[in-house]
Amino acid sequence: MHTSADGAEGSEKEKPCDNVCPSRVNRNLSFDRADASTSAQSNSLREKGEKGRVPKPNLGFNITKTMRSEDSKVILVRPIGMEAHTFTSDPVALAQGIGESSFKVIQKTHIRVNKRGNLVAFELEEATIGKLTSLLPVKRLGKWTVNCSQPVSQMQSWGVIKGIHQSVNVEHIKASADCGSSELLSVARLPWYSGGKKEESSAVKLGFAGTQCPSHIYVGFTRYAVFPFNAPPCRCYCCQRLGHVAVNCNSPLRCLVCSSPHTKDECTAEPGQEKCANCHQTHIASSKECPAIRNAAAIQKLQCSGVGFEAAKHKVMKTQTELVTKAQLMKK
């Protein structure tokens, strides 16, 4: 089976999530605090038990605070120097340092400590967004020397051009590119998968400075339209949930195939016995037919077009509500 360069999956073999959507780059710094979001299975069971009642639709996955933070500006604070290893393991000194620094204006609910990444993320809401330029130069937080920066997703944008032969070197593409007033930062080939084997495609991923991609660029004398880069939703290879990666996961192990607490290689489930760890339907957790993955992909596509996370979520939820209502009416 084949997978297109846009990232659709066609093989059950797990693949590295090497295409990172701009709207989710900083999700790799997952802070694992999720809102209480019910599963699709519980709604399905409720529907069976309450005949005639329209079930409440949901996305099929938890909304993490990291996802919500994409509607706001974020400053990432990382320690450097000899004492760096104690940054997130000394909560008393960290709290004291924040209270004595310029970051004291940030509300407690907008401060997230990432122990695995050994960093602290500060979300700037409407009331504090004006502090961005004064907070980025901060070099000291309590007893630690720190470096403050913004997530890549807030400083760069990504697009895709198609139809450049695989034999053309990406460095030559970058050197020959004319992007007008836009600054081209990076060029990389997008992969596709044939029979589970990763190969290079004719699609090229471009990284631009700023949050807006140009509508087109020239490579040599040839004009190429720049399309939004839409990668598949990020899925954890440990718990199979969406929105974070395994290195930042604290949840129990769950099988890609049957959602039981073992690895995919240890799974003995027969064909037809698959169980998705997210929506609980009869398919593997990475299936492109999964409602949870489809909803997450729909949200990311809207975000890549400039729609905020909350607005994108509500639009997808509205679509789900309309589909469920229509299905109920057709049964009558």
Side-chain angles (χ1 to χ4, degrees), residues 263-313:
T263 65
K264 173 179 173 288
D265 294 335
E266 297 171 338
C267 186
T268 58
E270 299 292 333
Q273 295 180 337
E274 299 91 347
K275 181 180 178 182
C276 176
N278 290 301
C279 72
H280 308 295
Q281 295 183 17
T282 310
H283 57 247
I284 64 174
S286 62
S287 172
K288 62 182 180 181
E289 302 301 324
C290 177
I293 289 181
R294 285 186 169 185
N295 288 337
I299 290 175
Q300 285 182 189
K301 187 173 182 179
L302 288 170
Q303 286 183 278
C304 289
S305 65
V307 180
F309 175 79
E310 286 296 331
K313 184 194 75 171

Side-chain angles (χ1 to χ4, degrees), residues 171-188:
E171 291 301 323
H172 294 166
I173 295 174
K174 185 176 182 179
S176 304
D178 180 0
C179 305
S181 59
S182 299
E183 181 185 358
L184 181 60
L185 300 177
S186 63
V187 179

Side-chain angles (χ1 to χ4, degrees), residues 52-73:
R53 180 178 176 180
V54 177
K56 182 180 178 181
N58 61 73
L59 297 173
F61 61 93
N62 290 341
I63 303 299
T64 67
K65 291 197 70 177
T66 304
M67 294 178 185
R68 292 191 186 280
S69 72
E70 290 174 15
D71 283 350
S72 61
K73 292 292 184 181

Side-chain angles (χ1 to χ4, degrees), residues 4-228:
S4 70
D6 291 333
E9 296 189 49
S11 170
E12 295 184 4
K13 184 176 180 180
E14 292 194 70
K15 303 177 286 296
C17 190
D18 52 353
N19 292 341
V20 184
C21 183
S23 66
R24 90 171 177 245
V25 169
N26 63 329
R27 290 180 201 172
N28 291 347
L29 306 172
S30 177
F31 299 91
D32 296 329
R33 296 185 194 171
D35 295 335
S37 175
T38 55
S39 67
Q41 176 70 1
S42 62
N43 282 337
S44 176
L45 293 174
R46 189 180 299 113
E47 179 184 1
K48 293 179 181 178
E50 301 177 16
K51 190 174 182 179
R53 180 178 176 180
V54 177
K56 182 180 178 181
N58 61 73
L59 297 173
F61 61 93
N62 290 341
I63 303 299
T64 67
K65 291 197 70 177
T66 304
M67 294 178 185
R68 292 191 186 280
S69 72
E70 290 174 15
D71 283 350
S72 61
K73 292 292 184 181
V74 176
I75 295 179
L76 304 177
V77 179
R78 295 180 173 89
I80 55 179
M82 296 292 292
E83 297 292 327
H85 65 284
T86 65
F87 189 55
T88 55
S89 60
D90 189 344
V92 176
L94 179 59
Q96 183 178 354
I98 293 174
E100 295 173 351
S101 73
S102 302
F103 286 100
K104 63 184 178 183
V105 298
I106 310 297
Q107 296 182 24
K108 182 179 179 179
T109 53
H110 295 154
I111 301 174
R112 293 175 287 139
V113 178
N114 184 344
K115 291 185 177 181
R116 286 180 179 269
N118 196 32
L119 59 86
V120 178
F122 295 88
E123 297 175 28
L124 305 184
E125 299 299 322
E126 186 175 352
T128 54
I129 193 65
K131 301 286 185 180
L132 179 64
T133 54
S134 62
L135 291 175
L136 282 173
V138 170
K139 297 297 181 184
R140 196 76 186 174
L141 198 65
K143 63 181 181 179
W144 296 281
T145 302
V146 297
N147 178 55
C148 302
S149 63
Q150 292 181 264
V152 176
S153 60
Q154 294 182 6
M155 298 184 292
Q156 294 184 27
S157 54
W158 286 262
V160 175
I161 57 175
K162 302 177 181 180
I164 296 185
H165 195 270
Q166 291 88 333
S167 63
V168 182
N169 186 284
V170 291
E171 291 301 323
H172 294 166
I173 295 174
K174 185 176 182 179
S176 304
D178 180 0
C179 305
S181 59
S182 299
E183 181 185 358
L184 181 60
L185 300 177
S186 63
V187 179
R189 283 279 178 187
L190 288 178
W192 77 323
Y193 295 87
S194 176
K197 183 180 178 181
K198 182 178 178 180
E199 300 177 0
E200 289 188 342
S201 72
S202 61
V204 178
K205 176 185 173 184
L206 308 175
F208 297 95
T211 57
Q212 188 71 37
C213 289
S215 60
H216 66 276
I217 68 168
Y218 282 88
V219 179
F221 298 103
T222 308
R223 186 181 188 273
Y224 290 91
V226 178
F227 300 93

Side-chain angles (χ1 to χ4, degrees), residues 226-291:
V226 178
F227 300 93
F229 176 64
N230 299 317
C234 184
R235 177 177 55 82
C236 174
Y237 290 166
C238 175
C239 72
Q240 309 304 327
R241 290 192 175 95
L242 306 179
H244 68 274
V245 293
V247 70
N248 293 320
C249 184
N250 295 313
S251 300
L253 177 70
R254 294 199 294 179
C255 177
L256 170 76
V257 178
C258 69
S259 76
S260 296
H262 55 243
T263 65
K264 173 179 173 288
D265 294 335
E266 297 171 338
C267 186
T268 58
E270 299 292 333
Q273 295 180 337
E274 299 91 347
K275 181 180 178 182
C276 176
N278 290 301
C279 72
H280 308 295
Q281 295 183 17
T282 310
H283 57 247
I284 64 174
S286 62
S287 172
K288 62 182 180 181
E289 302 301 324
C290 177

